[in-house]
Amino acid sequence: LAKTTQPISMDSYEGQEVNITCSHNNIATNDYITWYQQFPSQGPRFIIQGYKTKVTNEVASLFIPADRKSSTLSLPRVSLSDTAVYYCLVGDGFSGGYNKLIFGAGTRLAVHP
Amino acid sequence: DAGVIQSPRHEVTEMGQEVTLRCKPISGHDYLFWYRQTMMRGLELLIYFNNNVPIDDSGMPEDRFSAKMPNASFSTLKIQPSEPRDSAVYFCASSSLETQYFGPGTRLLVL
């Protein structure tokens, strides 16, 4: 199992860039890195997924160094509505089994006015 | 697409009663997942199906829990008998590849 470690909580202000780093030292060759966002009283929502280098979509960017032992989710210019819990998952559910994709405690991001 | 649909959204029952949670996955998705979320244990995978067949149920807490998927568009999670410690939010999710799409959840309270 690729264990992940991410900060329990973070605080930011509107308009700032937020970077949440996840450590996954024992990531396997076939593992992907996936980030989900969860608002209170809702199910988790997919944000972004990557394997190496950098991935960008309309919501966020994901930076993965060459050794893939960590990854950083970058949220540009956050707003109050970005207040949520962010989960980093590492694994290959499709081939390795979804039971090995662990959500963990996540990072609770609070965005302040 | 309407997304993953779960019912009921809220359920309050008494200890010992049978509880049935329902899920309709996104059309075309061949994986279906049942999760449970509590403050103490976070989000836990209970069981998942591929093409209506249970693949891994190692997360199911005990024999009181059972899940079925009679067809590609419907699944149930049943708790019989229910206990107060089963109180949680139960999420259903579906996927076709790596990305899982979650439903709104069923908030269960067992008194």
Side-chain angles (χ1 to χ4, degrees):
Chain A
L1 282 178
K3 178 175 165 42
T4 61
T5 303
Q6 51 182 125
I8 295 295
S9 64
M10 294 182 69
D11 288 274
S12 184
Y13 292 91
E14 285 189 290
Q16 289 190 335
E17 178 184 78
V18 171
N19 296 308
I20 306 174
T21 297
C22 179
S23 297
H24 28 81
N25 290 318
N26 59 340
I27 187 170
T29 303
N30 294 333
D31 288 347
Y32 287 83
I33 300 157
T34 310
W35 285 81
Y36 285 82
Q37 173 192 56
Q38 186 177 24
F39 297 116
S41 301
Q42 294 186 27
R45 184 176 72 114
F46 170 85
I47 301 176
I48 197 166
Q49 183 181 73
Y51 182 80
K52 61 180 180 180
T53 63
K54 176 185 174 183
V55 180
T56 298
N57 62 22
E58 64 278 5
V59 177
S61 294
L62 179 59
F63 298 92
I64 306 169
D67 66 5
R68 304 202 324 126
K69 293 184 183 300
S70 67
S71 59
T72 300
L73 174 72
S74 181
L75 305 172
R77 297 180 298 282
V78 294
S79 65
L80 296 177
S81 62
D82 292 315
T83 293
V85 178
Y86 292 82
Y87 297 97
C88 165
L89 280 70
V90 174
D92 176 17
F94 190 69
S95 300
Y98 288 94
N99 56 315
K100 297 181 175 61
L101 286 176
I102 309 298
F103 271 83
T107 297
R108 192 171 297 274
L109 173 66
V111 180
H112 306 280
Chain B
D1 199 317
V4 175
I5 299 172
Q6 291 186 247
S7 65
R9 295 293 309 277
H10 301 273
E11 177 82 25
V12 181
T13 191
E14 292 187 342
M15 182 174 63
Q17 297 296 308
E18 177 179 295
V19 175
T20 299
L21 311 181
R22 297 172 176 80
C23 175
K24 177 179 168 55
I26 293 172
S27 177
H29 284 185
D30 49 4
Y31 283 88
L32 183 137
F33 309 83
W34 282 102
Y35 287 86
R36 177 174 68 177
Q37 187 171 38
T38 61
M39 288 294 293
M40 290 297 294
R41 301 176 67 88
L43 197 61
E44 304 172 279
L45 176 64
L46 301 178
I47 184 172
Y48 74 94
F49 296 81
N50 178 217
N51 292 323
N52 314 337
V53 176
I55 301 301
D56 188 288
D57 65 354
S58 59
M60 295 285 262
E62 48 198 272
D63 292 344
R64 297 185 298 106
F65 285 69
S66 62
K68 294 182 180 179
M69 191 165 185
N71 56 62
S73 59
F74 184 66
S75 176
T76 60
L77 178 68
K78 185 177 294 186
I79 308 173
Q80 166 64 14
S82 59
E83 296 183 3
R85 59 188 167 132
D86 301 330
S87 297
V89 181
Y90 290 82
F91 289 104
C92 175
S94 70
S95 76
S96 58
L97 290 172
E98 287 293 324
T99 303
Q100 297 179 51
Y101 295 85
F102 285 75
T106 295
R107 188 172 295 274
L108 173 65
L109 178 61
V110 183
L111 302 173

